[in-house]
Structures are given as C-alpha cells and as structure tokens.
Amino acid sequence: MRTLSVVIPFFNTEAPYFERCISSLDCGRGAKLEVIVVDDGSDDDSSYELNAITDGSGLDISVYRKANGGQSSARRYGLERARGEFVLFMDSDDYVDGVAFASLIDILEDFDSDILCFNYDVVSPDGSVLNRNDVWVGGVLPIDLRQGIFCSDSLWRQVYRVQALRRSEVDFVQGVRIGEDLATAVSFLVAIGSASSVGLSVYRYVRRPTSTLGAPPRSSMMDIVAAFDAMESMLGSRLKPYRYEVEWLSIVHILYWNGIRIIQECGPDAELRGRLFGWMDERFPSWRENPYLSTEIMARSLSFRLVVGGHWRTYYIQFRIKRMLKMSGNRFGSCL
C-alpha cells in the first residue's frame, strides 16, 4: 500500500498550470505516492495535453476519463480507486511546495490520527505570494474540533485517512457550484470527530481570474445555501455541539462572502439579499447574537458590517468608487 494518494479532478485546465501541479509532486518520495487524475469530461485538446503531461512524468499516475459531473463527482470517483493509506485532494491548477510535501509524506508514515491539517499560501499565477495562511504551528498536535471547523473551507487544506472517509457515512456534496468544498470538508471533519495539525506550509492555492468561481452566474448565487442544507442533512444531530461554529460559518460564507460575490457581480440585488437573510433568519433565528461576532477580527471591518448588516447599496457604492479610482490610477500610470 502506498502512503499517500493524490486525487486531482481535471476539467480543461490550461497546460502550464497542470504541468506545474504534476511536477511539484515529484519530491523524491515517488515510491510512497500515487497520483489519480480524473478527467471530468474535458474537451479533446485538453485531454490530449493532460495525457502528454502525465506520460512524461516519472510518477505513478493513473488517468481516468468520465462524463462531466463536477469536481465533487470527480473526487469521489478518484477516492473509490485510491490505494494509499491517506488521500490529498488537489485542484489541477494548484501545486505544492516540494520540500514541505516530502516532509508531510514522511510524517504520515507514523501518523496515527485520521486527519492532518497543514498551512498554505495564496499565490498569483506567477507564484508571487499574495497571502500566507500559517494557522498551525509546531509539530504534529491535536486540534480543537471547533478551530478545525473554522479552517475546513477547502478539502485540500488537510490529508485524510482513506478508511476514515469510507467509514464516515457522509458523502461529497454535489450539484452546486459554490460551497461544495466547504460543506464536504466540514462534514468529513465532524463525522470523523478528531484531527491533528502540523506547522508545514504545504499547499499553494493559485488565485486566477479564469478559475471556477471567477465570475459565477446569477443562477449559482444561492448554491452556498444548498451546500449548507446538504451538510445539515448529512450530519443531523452531530452538528448540535457545534451550533455556534456552524452559525458563524453561515454568517461568514453565506451572508458576507456570498453577499460580496452577489453585490460585485449582480449589484445590490434586493431579491437575492432577501433570500439570503430569509434563510439565515429561519435557520438561525438568533444569529445576530452569535458570540463570534464580538471576538473575530473580521467582524470589525467596515465591509463586514455593511454587508452582514444588510446595507448592500452602501457597500455597492463604495465598491464602485474604489474600482473607478483603481481604473483611473491604472490609466494614469500607463501614461507616465
């Protein structure tokens, strides 16, 4: 059995990104590693480039092609074929730090827990660091599950024991474009019930304008609500001990981040605003008294207070002014 399986959904990813993704995994631990690439219905040209890149790698790579079903469908397909003791879910346009990744594989050889969380950087397409996320410090340490819930917004932020996932009795959230990653990761964490962390910065999340969430259509703006509903349906009473944490996640991801997404893409849409706040008021009637609203730094920002307070038109005006000033600055700079 291999130590680690890396499952990578692929859908028309540009060759330079995918080539960097695959090459970053070649960290000198090839005997302990398998890579599973699931081509989720890419066009013929992209599939050809995928095969050319994987054929040229010295890693143990299996490529599977299936009809398009979305990222979660591809991840489930890959997990079903994983032969490693642990699994890492990667995005096909991201990459890992080779040194940290090698250390992570070595740690997993003696790791006796079911989930291992690690740090990551948000980077630009050219690799410049935009934001460092060093949540975890030190060696391998157990974590408070409440903190783990706050940090489980993406499946690639942790490594999972394959058998623990299969025993968890929860599935990948599917059928939505926004929120499936967060809802699935939180569901796995709560269902498994324990996790550890290590202070290694392993993952590089590439922020680029052509990513899946770069410009979602209006029809997808309520997907995050459907994702939370799916999570609650799967976990049921297992969420009760984490009521305030899940409520806070809903405030942050449904009202704040999704509110910003709607305002920036659709303007201060009164109908969508009503649907978001209506869902929150029905699901969490006392959400305005959530204790994290008084302790989390994010909640003190002006943008948070405007968006979560329902002042979407004020935020929209502020957003438009900032964008016009930025565009004016860019035009001025190009004339110098």
Side-chain angles (χ1 to χ4, degrees):
M1 176 183 287
R2 301 295 176 95
T3 302
L4 181 65
S5 298
V6 180
V7 173
I8 308 174
F10 179 97
F11 180 72
N12 293 338
T13 305
E14 294 96 324
Y17 291 105
F18 183 61
E19 187 169 18
R20 180 171 60 180
C21 173
I22 293 298
S23 63
S24 73
L25 298 172
D26 195 359
C27 64
R29 300 294 188 273
K32 304 175 183 179
L33 179 70
E34 70 163 354
V35 181
I36 299 172
V37 181
V38 182
D39 184 349
D40 191 44
S42 298
D43 60 42
D44 290 342
D45 288 343
S46 291
S47 294
Y48 176 82
E49 291 176 337
L50 181 162
N51 289 323
I53 291 168
T54 54
D55 288 346
S57 173
L59 296 170
D60 175 10
I61 302 179
S62 299
V63 177
Y64 299 93
R65 184 173 174 85
K66 61 182 281 295
N68 181 259
Q71 193 172 53
S72 287
S73 170
R75 284 171 170 162
R76 179 209 268 173
Y77 190 95
L79 178 63
E80 290 171 351
R81 288 153 180 79
R83 297 169 296 162
E85 185 175 1
F86 295 90
V87 62
L88 169 66
F89 298 102
M90 280 190 74
D91 290 348
S92 58
D93 51 359
D94 296 338
Y95 59 101
V96 297
D97 176 88
V99 174
F101 185 60
S103 297
L104 180 71
I105 294 173
D106 292 342
I107 289 169
L108 291 175
E109 298 234 274
D110 300 312
F111 186 59
D112 60 1
S113 188
D114 291 328
I115 302 176
L116 182 60
C117 307
F118 47 78
N119 296 321
Y120 70 98
D121 290 345
V122 179
V123 300
S124 65
D126 67 3
S128 301
V129 176
L130 303 175
N131 186 25
R132 296 193 185 279
N133 289 268
D134 295 327
V135 177
W136 313 113
V137 296
V140 178
L141 300 169
I143 66 172
D144 185 320
L145 215 62
R146 289 169 175 79
Q147 185 181 13
I149 289 172
F150 281 2
C151 299
S152 293
D153 56 2
S154 300
L155 282 167
W156 47 255
R157 291 188 65 170
Q158 47 273 318
V159 170
Y160 299 91
R161 190 181 298 275
V162 171
Q163 290 304 317
L165 291 182
R166 292 172 177 165
R167 292 193 305 265
S168 68
E169 297 183 354
V170 299
D171 199 359
F172 294 85
V173 173
Q174 299 187 55
V176 294
R177 183 173 177 178
I178 300 171
E180 62 180 5
D181 219 21
L182 180 151
T184 300
V186 172
S187 296
F188 282 151
L189 178 65
V190 171
I192 291 171
S194 64
S196 299
S197 67
V198 63
L200 288 173
S201 183
V202 176
Y203 201 87
R204 300 295 179 263
Y205 171 73
V206 180
R207 181 177 291 165
R208 60 192 184 98
T210 56
S211 65
T212 304
L213 297 182
R218 189 180 188 279
S219 60
S220 296
M221 293 301 182
M222 293 300 293
D223 279 9
I224 183 72
V225 170
F228 270 76
D229 284 341
M231 177 177 68
E232 183 176 42
S233 176
M234 284 193 295
L235 293 175
S237 61
R238 287 180 286 185
L239 280 178
K240 287 184 178 179
Y242 313 106
R243 171 202 160 189
Y244 291 124
E245 288 71 33
V246 174
E247 187 176 77
W248 172 248
L249 285 184
S250 301
I251 294 169
V252 172
H253 291 278
I254 292 178
L255 292 187
Y256 182 51
W257 290 122
N258 200 55
I260 287 177
R261 184 180 293 116
I262 291 172
I263 296 168
Q264 293 185 357
E265 296 295 332
C266 307
D269 192 300
E271 192 265 337
L272 287 175
R273 181 183 62 187
R275 291 172 66 187
L276 287 189
F277 281 88
W279 184 90
M280 282 294 300
D281 289 338
E282 179 181 352
R283 189 61 50 85
F284 303 106
S286 302
W287 68 265
R288 292 171 179 84
E289 284 77 52
N290 185 280
Y292 292 106
L293 283 168
S294 61
T295 61
E296 293 299 305
I297 295 175
M298 175 188 293
R300 303 171 196 168
S301 71
L302 176 60
S303 63
F304 187 95
R305 286 184 279 124
L306 287 175
V307 176
V308 174
H311 308 295
W312 283 20
R313 185 164 295 279
T314 303
Y315 177 87
Y316 179 67
I317 294 170
Q318 179 192 72
F319 165 70
R320 290 293 300 271
I321 291 172
K322 287 182 177 179
R323 187 164 66 176
M324 285 188 293
L325 290 173
K326 183 178 180 180
M327 292 174 63
S328 298
N330 289 340
R331 286 198 296 268
F332 178 76
S334 67
C335 297
L336 294 179

